Amino acid sequence: MPTRRRLSPADRRTQLLTVSARLFAAAPYDDVLMEDVAREAGVSRALLYQHFPSKHALFAAMYQQAADQLLVATRFDPDASLVEQLTQGLDAHLDYFIANRHAVLAANRVLAGDPVIQTIMTNELDALRSRLLGVLPLGDERVRDAASSALKAWLVFVQVLCVDWLTRETCTRTELRDTCVGAAVGALRPLLPADPAADRPAASG
């Protein structure tokens, strides 16, 4: 058991979330026990429960932290092309999905009907959609509303496709990312003043 250290409540919470993120990434949700987290963190179960009253609460806090970090890592630069921006954002998310396969599958499969987890994911998708809308060269409000609807549907498409890919890798990571980028470009092309992928090289056959 690791040597126990006295930490401030905020630092202890951060430590527990770090440990739990590692354990939820390494094993399916049902296989991770609160006892495992306490042991790895070098704390008593009582102290762990003081911070998080249940495994669900611990996982939700860990997943919220991950969502916040992904938003920080996803930057949309209006000076970059749409394809470049989408590629950067998808790469950041795919890096996390692959490194934390079990946690992502837990959120989308084991806890698929859980309102807390669904709210975390919905809020992140809404934030991503708002950021994309902010950098797109949209015309009037009608076009903006149409683009917002298209992006909402696209983000759900990406979520479903990526979760399915984590379960059964039917293509390469690059093919997955490029499929997602292509879907966004296809959905937005009729709404933008210029082809967002005019300079994008065609995929090799």
Side-chain angles (χ1 to χ4, degrees):
M1 185 174 183
T3 303
R4 186 171 301 179
R5 295 182 297 133
R6 184 177 297 277
L7 299 174
S8 69
D11 287 343
R12 180 64 72 188
R13 177 182 173 86
T14 297
Q15 182 218 14
L16 293 173
L17 289 175
T18 299
V19 170
S20 67
R22 185 169 67 249
L23 294 180
F24 282 122
Y29 179 83
D30 290 339
D31 292 349
V32 178
L33 306 177
M34 292 292 272
E35 290 84 351
D36 300 331
V37 179
R39 182 177 61 254
E40 288 293 318
V43 302
S44 67
R45 285 186 296 173
L47 179 58
L48 174 59
Y49 279 106
Q50 284 180 17
H51 287 271
F52 303 101
S54 66
K55 183 170 77 169
H56 172 271
L58 177 61
F59 183 88
M62 180 276 298
Y63 212 70
Q64 179 65 70
Q65 183 181 72
D68 293 341
Q69 291 170 346
L70 280 172
L71 286 174
V72 171
T74 305
R75 303 180 182 90
F76 296 119
D77 181 0
D79 293 329
S81 70
L82 176 62
V83 169
E84 289 172 333
Q85 295 177 76
L86 292 173
T87 298
Q88 186 277 328
L90 283 163
D91 276 338
H93 279 74
L94 286 173
D95 284 345
Y96 175 79
F97 292 166
I98 293 169
N100 298 272
R101 181 186 305 262
H102 288 299
V104 175
L105 290 177
N108 287 274
R109 294 284 173 84
V110 180
L111 301 172
D114 183 84
V116 175
I117 302 301
Q118 289 303 309
T119 296
I120 292 171
M121 291 192 289
T122 298
N123 288 343
E124 191 209 353
L125 295 181
D126 285 346
L128 289 170
R129 177 172 47 139
S130 178
R131 290 185 182 185
L132 277 168
L133 287 172
V135 298
L136 289 175
L138 301 172
D140 56 27
E141 195 64 26
R142 180 194 64 80
V143 175
R144 181 180 176 84
D145 288 344
S148 179
S149 296
L151 286 173
K152 182 176 183 178
W154 175 73
L155 287 165
V156 173
F157 164 80
V158 170
Q159 181 182 22
V160 172
L161 187 61
C162 288
V163 170
D164 184 69
W165 183 81
L166 290 174
T167 304
R168 187 169 59 96
E169 295 184 20
T170 55
C171 61
T172 68
R173 173 203 163 113
T174 299
E175 289 169 340
L176 172 68
R177 184 198 66 195
D178 289 351
T179 296
C180 294
V181 171
V185 169
L188 293 171
R189 181 178 281 120
L191 303 172
L192 299 178
D195 187 344
D199 299 327
R200 187 185 188 194
S204 59

